[in-house]
Amino acid sequence: MQNFDYQTPTRLIFGRGAVDEKLAEVMSRFGEKVLLTYGGGSIRKIGLYDRVKEILKDKEIYELPDIQPNPKYDPSVLDGVKICKEHGIDVILSVGGGSVLDCSKAIAAGAKYDGDPWDLISYKATAEDALPIVDIITLAATGSEYDPGGVISRTETNDKIGYVDPHLFPAVSFLDPVYTFSVSRKQTAAGCADAMNHIMEQYFCEDSTLLNDGFMEAGLKSLMINAKKCLEDPEDYEARAEMMLCCTYGCNGIYALGSSDSGWPCHAIEHALSAYYDITHGEGLAIITPRWMEHILSGKTVGRFVKYGVNVFGIDPDQDEYNIARQAIDATYRFFESIGIPMHLRDVGIDGSRIGEMAHHIAVNEGLENAWIPLDENDLVKILTESL
Ligand code: NZQ
Ligand code: ZN
């Protein structure tokens, strides 16, 4: 087992009615001036915007609306930093999905930094402080509510960077599964694929433990069962709740304490896809994952695929190991397909014309030469081409 140094400062407040019960008390600890951040309107449709405004009626509230999926540095991060600096904001309240929260994290760090916030996101400078963040997460997917990362896109350079810093842990995250009842079929499936891939990025590595493997296998099975239930009945509270918690653990590190790092190759590849083509993150991952699996299947990796296939999909262990591994990869593909995810890049508007450019961008920027199974530019071209 590898050494680790682990701390999660985030308070999770989970369950039906959590916002009504505790938001006022939580916000009372952070000062009077609040920046309320949100996306394109879903929180108004579900009545959450009005509810939050009512609960915080005595606060001085400034708003940053219209944060887009794959949140943009310009305008959203820059606009948010400007509001925080001009008005001396005390706390950010992020209400929405992972994109709103990721954008809020970059704003929180930028607000306490004198230079260009891109310096922080691109790791040219390190944050020394950040505004506190409280969030109400409305989509089960990224796990941003329990991790210190935010992913920000800069359109003009086709960059999509995962910005990780301990200052970015939310102070408090509210998770009420009822607010996810309205999530569309597409986003429910994409959220499931994202959370499954977070687990796979930690499962497929050199060193793991029985404990971690069991935890992750259970996470994958729970996500598959509960995502299907959510698709059948979007208001199934228990299914939405369990899916939400599986997602929350995703990028916090808890699934893999003591394991070695895999290098998160599918995320590195997908971030380029959504940077170049602005696609839905979970869909990009679902398309890439089985092709990446096939690409790395070898004597070194086959044992992990056997374990995954037998324990997650119940494949008969009394067979040739490559047979089991290929059935496991096929089962992964079929599951994503069964929840309605388009399984080819062409289905999400990506043709082959920029594969070379994207492969180069990933090879230069993502450090996959140090992944569990190293990937160079040629490997990336092959994986992307197979995904077409
Ligand atoms: O903008 P609104 O109107 O709010 O609509 C959103 C958006 O259109 C909608 N939505 C959210 N909650 C809803 C809802 N619709 C109905 N009912 C609700 N309750 O869903 C759409 C997608 O929202 P978004 O926030 O973009 O989705 P998600 O939470 O999947 O976040 C994706 C972003 O997170 C990044 C991804 O790369 C992507 O940019 N990631 C962040 C991570 C992290 N911080 O740890 C890790 C992940 O691997 C990921 O990279
Ligand atoms: Zn992800």
Side-chain angles (χ1 to χ4, degrees), residues 61-77:
I61 296 187
Y62 298 84
E63 298 191 19
L64 180 69
D66 296 327
I67 296 171
Q68 293 171 24
N70 301 323
K72 310 299 180 286
Y73 179 65
D74 188 3
S76 296
V77 174

Side-chain angles (χ1 to χ4, degrees), residues 140 177-178 180-192 222-245 247 335 339:
V178 172
T180 68
F181 286 177
S182 54
V183 174
S184 65
R185 294 182 70 80
K186 173 188 166 86
Q187 292 294 341
T188 299
C192 170
S222 168
L223 281 163
M224 289 194 285
I225 291 168
N226 286 299
K228 286 214 161 167
K229 287 187 180 173
C230 294
L231 291 172
E232 275 159 26
D233 175 6
E235 302 200 2
D236 180 335
Y237 179 84
E238 290 303 324
R240 289 284 192 192
E242 193 164 327
M243 187 171 160
M244 195 169 212
L245 195 55
C247 292
F335 172 74
I339 56 171

Side-chain angles (χ1 to χ4, degrees), residues 64-189:
L64 180 69
D66 296 327
I67 296 171
Q68 293 171 24
N70 301 323
K72 310 299 180 286
Y73 179 65
D74 188 3
S76 296
V77 174
L78 288 179
D79 286 357
V81 169
K82 193 161 170 250
I83 298 172
C84 290
K85 287 188 172 174
E86 268 178 21
H87 299 285
I89 295 293
D90 297 310
V91 57
I92 300 177
L93 177 60
S94 161
V95 186
S99 292
V100 175
L101 181 50
D102 284 5
C103 184
S104 304
K105 290 177 175 182
I107 294 168
K112 293 281 187 175
Y113 178 68
D114 284 338
D116 183 346
W118 192 254
D119 296 347
L120 301 170
I121 296 165
S122 59
Y123 297 98
K124 284 200 190 90
T126 310
E128 286 175 9
D129 197 5
L131 286 174
I133 300 167
V134 176
D135 68 87
I136 303 171
I137 198 82
T138 62
L139 203 166
T142 62
S144 187
E145 64 274 19
Y146 204 37
D147 74 37
V151 187
I152 302 297
S153 295
R154 193 163 189 177
T155 314
E156 69 271 24
T157 52
N158 293 314
D159 279 311
K160 184 173 181 190
I161 299 186
Y163 168 38
V164 181
D165 185 293
H167 292 97
L168 304 185
F169 274 111
V172 183
S173 291
F174 283 87
L175 301 98
D176 182 340
V178 172
Y179 293 132
T180 68
F181 286 177
S182 54
V183 174
S184 65
R185 294 182 70 80
K186 173 188 166 86
Q187 292 294 341
T188 299

Side-chain angles (χ1 to χ4, degrees), residues 156-317:
E156 69 271 24
T157 52
N158 293 314
D159 279 311
K160 184 173 181 190
I161 299 186
Y163 168 38
V164 181
D165 185 293
H167 292 97
L168 304 185
F169 274 111
V172 183
S173 291
F174 283 87
L175 301 98
D176 182 340
V178 172
Y179 293 132
T180 68
F181 286 177
S182 54
V183 174
S184 65
R185 294 182 70 80
K186 173 188 166 86
Q187 292 294 341
T188 299
C192 170
D194 187 19
M196 285 179 67
N197 191 264
H198 295 157
I199 297 178
M200 292 174 194
E201 301 273 38
Q202 295 166 91
Y203 190 88
F204 291 100
C205 68
E206 183 68 31
D207 280 338
S208 191
T209 63
L210 275 178
L211 175 65
N212 289 352
D213 287 351
F215 188 15
M216 290 190 277
E217 287 156 4
L220 289 168
K221 286 192 275 195
S222 168
L223 281 163
M224 289 194 285
I225 291 168
N226 286 299
K228 286 214 161 167
K229 287 187 180 173
C230 294
L231 291 172
E232 275 159 26
D233 175 6
E235 302 200 2
D236 180 335
Y237 179 84
E238 290 303 324
R240 289 284 192 192
E242 193 164 327
M243 187 171 160
M244 195 169 212
L245 195 55
C246 287
C247 292
T248 297
Y249 292 144
C251 300
N252 163 282
I254 197 167
Y255 273 125
L257 291 177
S259 295
S260 58
D261 185 17
S262 73
W264 289 60
C266 294
H267 272 69
I269 300 171
E270 198 296 315
H271 283 169
L273 295 178
S274 43
Y276 278 72
Y277 292 93
D278 217 350
I279 65 167
T280 299
H281 174 63
E283 292 184 347
L285 287 171
I287 295 168
I288 293 296
T289 303
R291 279 71 183 217
W292 165 79
M293 288 176 159
E294 272 166 34
H295 187 81
I296 66 151
L297 180 58
S298 70
K300 179 175 162 115
T301 62
V302 68
R304 285 310 274 164
F305 283 105
V306 168
K307 189 164 198 203
Y308 166 75
V310 170
N311 292 347
V312 176
F313 291 103
I315 295 168
D316 176 4

